Amino acid sequence: MPEPDLLTSRPRVLSGMRPTGKLHLGNYMGALANWVKLQDQYECYFFIADLHALTTDYADTSNIAPNTLEVALDFLAAGLDPKRCTIFVQSWVEQHYQLPLLLGMITPLGWLERVPSYKEMQENLASKDLTTFGFLGYPVLMASDILLYQPDFVPVGQDQQAHVELTREVARRFNQFYLKVHNPKVPKDPFESGEAFGEALKSLGKLPDSEKYVLPEPRVLLTPSPKLPGTDGRKMSKSYGNTILLTDPEPVVRQKLKTMVTDPARIRRSDPGEPDKCPVGDLHKVFSTAETFAKVYDGCRSAGIGCIECKSWAANALVQILEPIQIRRAGFTEAQVKEILEDGSSRARARAEQTMQEVRAAMRLTPAAPAAQ
Ligand code: SF4
């Protein structure tokens, strides 16, 4: 296993995923496939956000641990390489419990109540009581997850940009209140007079942000996330039960495709259709070769092909994508996955603790007494 490398010169990137169980093609195309590309350009931290699962599933936590392992396996199967990136479990890194408390002290309630997904999820998950402190505060948990690693970028799709914006606001607010203290111009002594601190503040004006601020504001790294419909034509999502899993064997993929909805205007085999209005057409756009794609357009619009044939071509393309992923998955034992997660979590802990030390000092919390010899 590689040694922790805290001083890498590549820009740093962090992203995570909730442990919802086995991942599907929507997860792959929306995030994982991009992460695999990023691991050679950036210093990457990817984590399984099991504490986030608690914000909605606190009453029954029985699936969180098994799902965490499934997601880790899918990360590795998709091509994340623990030698080129750090893969860890959020709850194994204790700093993820610490920073949310401190950032929660400075985050106004109004910011949290305004987050669009707060009301939306309460309505969508009406069977669960989400009037909890943990659920309201999940954006603070998310901001902490990000800021602990002081990343340059957070890779997200278009629809998640607002989450990163809130993280930036929390960082900005923290930086307005507190400054780095290892800079010689900032007093180290937490009991030093307000006057001395004020003088220090003035002298900090010309310093670059990276020297003044503990929590740099991360930027969005917009990643392409193509429209990927599920078998019922809606966005592919576990909650709709319309997914194609990364682990689905070929016969299951073909069966799911057979039941997939098509252009509703194409009722009979002799009716011409329009691939731009068909979810199977959307799959072809993402996964098929240009040659197959041209055959789909011509054949569908002229009624020269039937939907069964067209779906079988889409299934061929999906099987080609899934096959290497499934072969890689089969190569890992549970013990190996746990070892990879333990190693990644210990590297993440080292990085996160560096930030926590700066945060505690900047907030001028009373330094702990040195441990007895
Ligand atoms: S031929 Fe293909 S693209 Fe056209 S409606 Fe049928 S499944 Fe959809």
Side-chain angles (χ1 to χ4, degrees), residues 124-281:
N124 292 344
L125 299 173
S127 59
K128 295 180 181 175
D129 178 4
L130 296 184
T131 57
T132 57
F133 174 67
F135 183 68
L136 177 66
Y138 94 84
V140 178
L141 180 59
M142 196 190 56
S144 306
D145 296 336
I146 297 171
L147 296 172
L148 270 174
Y149 299 89
Q150 301 172 330
D152 298 276
F153 297 104
V154 182
V156 289
Q158 198 105 30
D159 53 341
Q160 298 155 320
Q161 288 191 77
H163 289 131
V164 182
E165 192 45 46
L166 186 85
T167 300
R168 289 167 58 85
E169 283 176 35
V170 172
R172 208 172 302 144
R173 191 163 162 90
F174 183 95
N175 293 333
Q176 276 166 5
F177 289 133
Y178 317 112
L179 294 163
K180 258 188 193 177
V181 298
H182 62 69
N183 189 291
K185 293 184 175 136
V186 180
K188 277 200 179 72
D189 180 354
F191 302 108
E192 195 149 349
S193 75
E195 197 182 330
F197 190 63
E199 283 306 308
L201 270 187
K202 277 187 219 155
S203 67
L204 283 170
K206 293 194 188 82
L207 286 178
D209 289 356
S210 59
E211 284 185 40
K212 274 189 290 192
Y213 300 141
V214 174
L215 301 178
E217 293 177 33
R219 279 174 288 161
V220 163
L221 185 67
L222 258 191
T223 52
S225 42
K227 181 181 169 197
L228 203 71
T231 50
D232 60 359
R234 292 185 288 176
K235 184 182 174 186
M236 192 178 287
S237 160
K238 206 152 248 186
S239 49
Y240 297 145
N242 64 1
T243 59
I244 296 163
L245 298 176
L246 298 183
T247 46
D248 277 343
E250 180 172 345
V252 175
V253 174
R254 292 195 181 279
Q255 184 53 36
K256 285 184 175 176
L257 261 284
K258 273 188 192 149
T259 63
M260 190 153 182
V261 296
T262 57
D263 176 3
R266 202 166 181 208
I267 299 164
R268 286 176 298 268
R269 166 70 176 76
S270 53
D271 293 333
E274 175 49 62
D276 286 338
K277 293 182 183 160
C278 174
V280 181

